[in-house]
Amino acid sequence: MNSGGTLSAAGEAVSSEVFGAPCWVSLTARDLRVTQDFYRAVLGWQWRPVGLGDQFRTALVGGVPVAGVAAVASTWQIAAAWTPYFAVPDADEAVSRGQERGGTPAVGPISLPGGRAALLADRDGAVFGVWEGQLVAGWEKWRRAAPAFVRLHTRDAFDAAIFYGQVLDWASERPGHCEVGYEENEVVLRNEGDVVARIFSGALGSAPDPTLRPHWEIHFTVSDVAACVRAARDNGGTALHGGPNTREAVIADPDGAHFTVTAGG
């Protein structure tokens, strides 16, 4: 995937080969320059343009694409937010399954270079995307270089696992499916043995704090959490959770989009 939920036309794999697994993360932002400066300072990201227009960029770490940014939040009148995308063989079918099970279609499916994308909200309002088509070139490198994992904060982890399992074909009889288990009070999703997503209960739909409402949280692995927190504060962001000695912190960027930094190793 490139930016804003699109995938590279030069992908080496297609979504049907890793169906059900997270395949990209994308940020909707308001000001592209501010966003690039912030994530460069906090996460050390470099940037390159993509073929979707001036408001789209791909973030790189060591030359590996790790995330997409689309500075369209104001234009499209949508919230600035990080969103995970899950690989599916058929975006129309995934959206239909989600709607049949109480989810809400938000955008698409729409055609983009390399495939088709859609945004949905699950039964508790957590927003996620689905992608049908070519994956980012070197997808295995992306999976290991980008988010540590994606985690769903939700009202009921088992109910959510059933919803996503039915929409994304988790734990099916198809070869290559994602495996679902229960470990340390969380539902854990594995793809080829790697943990790619976690789901846990306790979110409150009416909580004034958006980090307590149902949502997908993107975790990025870093070497120094405290340094990321300092850089975020120095560049217009906010540290919402996480003290100076913590191995994990929740950060809001200048537009208010939340993400988590997690200590590697």
Side-chain angles (χ1 to χ4, degrees):
M1 275 178 102
N2 286 331
S3 300
T6 68
L7 289 178
S8 167
E12 298 172 351
V14 294
S15 58
S16 59
E17 296 174 351
V18 293
F19 68 93
C23 64
W24 192 240
V25 293
S26 184
L27 172 66
T28 49
R30 295 187 178 90
D31 187 304
L32 185 61
R33 182 188 61 79
V34 170
T35 298
Q36 289 182 108
D37 289 347
F38 177 83
Y39 285 96
R40 182 184 294 112
V42 176
L43 298 176
W45 287 355
Q46 298 174 316
W47 299 95
R48 75 178 182 200
V50 294
L52 295 176
D54 293 339
Q55 297 305 308
F56 297 84
R57 294 291 187 274
T58 293
L60 307 172
V61 172
V64 178
V66 295
V69 172
V72 295
S74 298
T75 303
W76 293 356
Q77 297 184 333
I78 57 178
W82 278 102
T83 302
Y85 282 75
F86 293 83
V88 295
D90 188 318
D92 290 296
E93 182 180 357
V95 170
S96 178
R97 287 182 180 183
Q99 191 167 15
E100 289 170 357
R101 290 158 177 82
T104 304
V107 177
I110 58 175
S111 295
L112 295 165
R116 305 176 72 237
L119 288 174
L120 307 88
D122 66 19
R123 288 192 285 244
D124 290 312
V127 176
F128 67 102
V130 295
W131 173 259
E132 168 199 346
Q134 296 172 322
L135 302 183
V136 64
W139 181 78
E140 289 294 340
K141 290 183 179 179
W142 171 84
R143 182 164 70 171
R144 291 173 172 83
F149 51 84
V150 295
R151 173 183 274 158
L152 176 63
H153 296 234
T154 191
R155 175 186 54 81
D156 184 310
F158 289 104
D159 182 69
I162 291 171
F163 171 85
Y164 285 96
Q166 292 175 339
V167 172
L168 301 174
D169 235 2
W170 293 349
S172 68
E173 296 181 355
R174 294 176 55 196
H177 68 83
C178 291
E179 299 176 351
V180 180
Y182 188 70
E183 305 172 15
E184 300 180 356
N185 299 319
E186 291 184 323
V187 174
V188 176
L189 183 71
R190 293 179 181 273
N191 179 260
E192 296 183 357
D194 295 326
V195 175
V196 293
R198 298 178 183 269
I199 302 174
F200 76 96
S201 304
L204 303 173
S206 58
D209 184 345
T211 66
L212 299 180
R213 296 196 292 266
H215 69 283
W216 279 98
E217 184 176 68
I218 312 300
H219 289 244
F220 294 104
T221 301
V222 299
S223 59
D224 189 333
V225 171
C228 290
V229 169
R230 290 193 298 270
R233 289 171 173 162
D234 290 343
N235 289 271
T238 306
L240 303 176
H241 304 289
N245 299 317
T246 187
R247 290 181 56 80
E248 189 168 285
V250 179
I251 293 173
D253 70 15
D255 285 333
H258 300 157
F259 63 99
T260 297
V261 290
T262 302

